[in-house]
Amino acid sequence: MPGPVRPCRGTMFSGVGGLNLRSNRFAIPFGDHIAVVVAFALVYYLFNLVMFDHWNLMSGLRLSCLLLVPRRYWLALAIGETLPVLEKIISHAQVFGMPWAIGASIPFIVVCMPFFTAVVRRMPLRDTDGNLRITTVLGLNVALSVIMTLWTLTIGFLGYASHPDPVQAWWASVGTFTPSFIISHYLGTLTVVPIVVVMHEYLRRRRRTSHWWPLLHEAFLLVIPYLAIVVATARTDTFAACAFVQLAIVLPLIALTMHHGKRGAALGSLLSSVAMTCAFTTELAPATVGAEALVAVVITAALFSTRPFRTVRTFGGFPVIQARLDRVSFFVERRLARILVGIRRRRFVITVQQADRTCVADLD
């Protein structure tokens, strides 16, 4: 006589009382969501300290998170963007009105999410190797820059809803800067996203022996001192001076791209954007917008030239140029070593002299 039928493990009848109590599959990891909220809010706050109207780094932060953060954490991203600006919205609600407060309380990343999803459905986000396609990233950059600019203009119009002539006042204060806002979002994204994508690929492949040291070597010993000199001596009072500064700023980007490919383009875009922001400090001025446009075009061309199916002729293919670069690098290193040795010798001599004086004072 057969025994009683026992429910199989893993079926819907298993568990106490004939129900499946293994609910870990459906549990929400609140700890992970809280960590995402805190991390995004902290980075948002830090970016807000160094952001300008003509250099919007928040756009790069939003696109980087949409590209790399899983969709189950998108709600946490929206909450993380709302928290840093909530106090500002509450304090300005009486000035600009309740419609503006409601519109400003909607995070920009929430506005970008449906458009990001629509673009990704029509354009492949990753290639056969699992890396992010640079053409899709640049297309997303253009689309989201336009969307964020339109949303900025909409929120600004809501702030003038109580004005006697809202359209005229809105256009005079906000509408005339529409091209500047688009370039600001586009360049801010190009500053952050390329270096984030390159670091993500490096960490994903776990390439601990990747050829990063030559790039960092040239960046810290050649590019950063060069850009510091350019920024310190920059003059933007005439058209010729602005053109010279713009050309001097984009040259390291071109050199790093030709020498190191994608990694050089990513790091060069970051350094060139920072140098441009430091050299052109007047927000939304015609000279600043022109410099932004030039740097954005050069960064876009550099990123396009590093696509996997297009070979890049680096300086390694030109032995004469490579030898001269190595010679310049060796000369700079030798001069820096001599300066450091001289500083150490002076410190040693000063220390010995102070010790002698202390001994003589004690004897006296």
Side-chain angles (χ1 to χ4, degrees):
M1 183 176 180
V5 179
R6 295 180 179 179
C8 300
R9 180 178 299 178
T11 61
M12 64 180 294
F13 300 102
S14 62
V16 180
L19 297 176
N20 185 11
L21 298 182
R22 294 187 304 165
S23 59
N24 293 331
R25 295 172 55 189
F26 307 100
I28 299 176
F30 289 104
D32 297 344
H33 284 78
I34 293 174
V36 173
V37 170
V38 173
F40 188 87
L42 180 61
V43 177
Y44 189 97
Y45 176 77
L46 294 177
F47 276 16
N48 195 26
L49 296 178
V50 296
M51 189 189 71
F52 301 95
D53 291 338
H54 62 279
W55 194 50
N56 198 324
L57 296 178
M58 303 303 180
S59 305
L61 176 61
R62 297 184 187 103
L63 183 55
S64 300
C65 292
L66 292 177
L67 288 172
L68 303 179
V69 177
R71 297 196 178 187
R72 61 180 179 271
Y73 297 114
W74 279 13
L75 177 60
L77 296 177
I79 297 174
E81 184 174 354
T82 305
L83 293 179
V85 299
L86 189 61
E87 181 182 358
K88 183 178 180 181
I89 294 173
I90 295 175
S91 60
H92 289 77
Q94 297 180 354
V95 179
F96 297 103
M98 189 56 63
W100 174 88
I102 296 174
S105 61
I106 301 176
F108 277 82
I109 196 169
V110 174
V111 180
C112 296
M113 286 176 183
F115 297 96
F116 176 87
T117 305
V119 173
V120 169
R121 286 180 179 176
R122 289 165 176 79
M123 299 179 65
L125 184 59
R126 298 183 181 273
D127 55 14
T128 55
D129 296 332
N131 299 325
L132 293 172
R133 294 176 60 92
I134 194 63
T135 52
T136 306
V137 173
L138 292 175
L140 287 169
N141 188 7
V142 174
L144 297 186
S145 298
V146 175
I147 294 303
M148 285 185 284
T149 300
L150 294 177
W151 186 245
T152 303
L153 297 177
T154 303
I155 294 175
F157 181 78
L158 293 176
Y160 288 96
S162 59
H163 197 272
D165 191 0
V167 177
Q168 183 67 24
W170 166 78
W171 181 256
S173 60
V174 181
T176 55
F177 300 107
T178 302
S180 303
F181 290 156
I182 295 177
I183 296 175
S184 172
H185 288 293
Y186 186 77
L187 183 61
T189 305
L190 291 179
T191 304
V192 179
V193 172
I195 192 68
V196 171
V197 170
V198 169
M199 292 303 299
H200 173 261
E201 293 179 0
Y202 170 71
L203 295 175
R204 187 176 63 87
R205 295 181 178 181
R206 300 184 182 277
R207 291 185 176 181
R208 304 305 179 188
T209 59
S210 182
H211 303 288
W212 278 90
W213 284 114
L215 173 61
L216 298 178
H217 187 269
E218 294 181 9
F220 283 99
L221 294 183
L222 295 177
V223 176
I224 293 179
Y226 165 78
L227 290 177
I229 295 173
V230 171
V231 172
T233 60
R235 293 180 55 190
T236 58
D237 51 352
T238 61
F239 177 78
C242 291
F244 177 78
V245 173
Q246 294 172 14
L247 181 62
I249 287 176
V250 299
L251 283 179
L253 170 61
I254 300 173
L256 289 177
T257 304
M258 294 185 65
H259 198 186
H260 299 281
K262 182 185 293 185
R263 293 189 297 269
L267 186 58
S269 62
L270 174 63
L271 297 178
S272 297
S273 299
V274 172
M276 184 280 304
T277 306
C278 296
F280 296 86
T281 57
T282 305
E283 298 184 3
L284 302 178
T288 304
V289 176
E292 287 181 345
L294 177 62
V295 174
V297 169
V298 175
I299 293 175
T300 304
L303 294 175
F304 262 112
S305 67
T306 58
R307 289 178 293 176
F309 50 83
R310 171 174 291 185
T311 58
V312 181
R313 186 82 181 276
T314 62
F315 285 145
F318 302 91
V320 177
I321 299 178
Q322 183 66 37
R324 292 183 178 178
L325 286 175
D326 294 340
R327 189 178 304 172
V328 170
S329 178
F330 174 75
F331 175 76
V332 173
E333 291 179 0
R334 187 174 61 179
R335 295 295 300 175
L336 289 176
R338 290 181 179 179
I339 292 172
L340 293 176
V341 170
I343 293 174
R344 290 179 180 178
R345 287 179 179 177
R346 292 177 183 176
R347 289 181 178 177
F348 178 75
V349 171
I350 292 173
T351 304
V352 172
Q353 292 177 354
Q354 291 179 352
D356 293 340
R357 293 173 182 173
T358 303
C359 292
V360 171
D362 293 339
L363 292 175
D364 294 339

